[in-house]
Amino acid sequence: QVKELVLDNCRSDDGKIVGLSSDFENLEFLSMININLLSVSNLPKLNKLRKLELSDNRISGGLEVLAERTPNLTHLNLSGNKIKDINTLEPLKKLPNLHSLDLFNCEVTMLINYRESVFTLLPQLTYLDGFDADDQEAPDSDPEADGDGLEDEYENGEEEDDLDEEVIDDEEDEDDDLEGEEEEDGVDDEEEDEEEDGEDDEEDEADDDLPRGEKRKRNLEDEGEEDPEDEEDDEDD
């Protein structure tokens, strides 16, 4: 039931893979990076295998075995191997589902018109070394290059700006309310002061209408004092 098997850095026995057999018939992903592998001739029959990682080994040819043992392969990584000629890759034409091939750090990549030659030789390929024939990068090779993260940040930035604007608007509304209340309070205080002043003025005017003696007498009565004339009358009695 094993679908993925990683044997990276597990040294092979004289270039052979010990323990890997057709019992792993459900394998879909097999990685054998840097195990000093000399060829793929000892690969078992793996009909369901989709992705095969063979980078940093010593493979120089014999790739026809792949079409026989892994007929449904879609991804093949041969980076860092001893592949020197374009013709060495010709057996891969028999892998109809192969659409991604990596040959980084192989001598073949130094040849003139390397990319054009490989795409011509293997027309089923979509990506060579992570890029298609138009130099467009494979979508799963560098997720950040797709711009998804930038769009999220941009959207978050817009949301934050909207929130800031709302907060500012709320603060301005609160300031306006406070100013309105202060103005109303000021008007009320002024009206109260004017009413009090008006009452004082009316009392003063009423006093002015009285004769001088009566005014003085009234003031004394308000203050609770007796009139001196009354005091003299009392003494005579």
Side-chain angles (χ1 to χ4, degrees):
Q1 298 299 319
V2 179
K3 293 184 177 181
E4 296 185 5
L5 183 60
V6 178
L7 301 173
D8 298 350
N9 303 313
C10 297
R11 292 293 177 181
S12 59
D13 184 8
D14 195 22
K16 296 179 181 180
I17 310 155
V18 179
L20 185 62
S21 67
S22 57
D23 291 339
F24 293 90
E25 58 183 9
N26 292 315
L27 267 187
E28 297 179 4
F29 173 79
L30 175 60
S31 182
M32 297 186 293
I33 298 173
N34 189 32
I35 64 171
N36 199 32
L37 196 63
L38 299 176
S39 74
V40 292
S41 59
N42 292 309
L43 269 179
K45 184 77 170 177
L46 300 170
N47 286 328
K48 295 184 179 180
L49 195 67
R50 303 292 184 186
K51 189 171 183 178
L52 180 59
E53 293 278 349
L54 296 173
S55 58
D56 298 328
N57 283 294
R58 300 169 62 190
I59 299 169
S60 59
L63 300 181
E64 59 274 359
V65 176
L66 294 177
E68 299 173 8
R69 312 282 173 82
T70 59
N72 293 305
L73 206 61
T74 60
H75 292 73
L76 176 60
N77 191 341
L78 291 169
S79 301
N81 279 280
K82 305 296 182 181
I83 298 173
K84 300 179 181 180
D85 302 319
I86 295 290
N87 293 333
T88 304
L89 304 172
E90 189 168 357
L92 299 181
K93 290 166 58 175
K94 296 180 180 180
L95 292 170
N97 298 316
L98 185 67
H99 70 263
S100 178
L101 175 64
D102 289 313
L103 296 168
F104 290 110
N105 298 322
C106 292
E107 290 185 36
V108 67
T109 62
M110 304 300 293
L111 298 176
I112 298 174
N113 298 324
Y114 150 71
R115 289 181 59 81
E116 292 81 354
S117 300
V118 174
F119 277 117
T120 300
L121 179 67
L122 306 173
Q124 79 272 34
L125 273 188
T126 302
Y127 298 105
L128 175 61
D129 299 332
F131 291 84
D132 64 14
D134 296 322
D135 289 331
Q136 296 298 314
E137 192 169 10
D140 59 345
S141 59
D142 186 5
E144 294 181 359
D146 296 338
D148 292 339
L150 294 176
E151 290 177 2
D152 290 341
E153 290 178 4
Y154 182 72
E155 290 176 358
N156 291 335
E158 284 186 343
E159 291 176 359
E160 290 176 359
D161 291 341
D162 292 340
L163 290 174
D164 291 341
E165 290 178 359
E166 291 178 2
V167 171
I168 292 172
D169 291 340
D170 291 341
E171 290 178 353
E172 290 179 351
D173 292 340
E174 290 177 359
D175 292 341
D176 292 340
D177 293 340
L178 290 174
E179 290 178 1
E181 291 177 0
E182 290 176 358
E183 289 177 358
E184 290 178 0
D185 292 342
V187 171
D188 293 340
D189 293 341
E190 289 178 1
E191 290 178 353
E192 290 178 0
D193 292 341
E194 289 177 358
E195 289 177 359
E196 292 177 357
D197 292 341
E199 291 175 359
D200 293 341
D201 292 340
E202 289 176 0
E203 291 179 358
D204 292 343
E205 289 176 359
D207 291 343
D208 291 340
D209 293 339
L210 295 173
R212 186 171 181 181
E214 292 183 6
K215 185 193 298 183
R216 182 170 178 273
K217 184 177 181 180
R218 182 180 176 187
N219 290 338
L220 290 173
E221 289 175 354
D222 291 340
E223 293 175 3
E225 295 180 1
E226 294 182 355
D227 192 332
E229 295 178 358
D230 295 337
E231 289 179 0
E232 288 177 3
D233 294 340
D234 290 340
E235 287 178 359
D236 295 337
D237 292 342

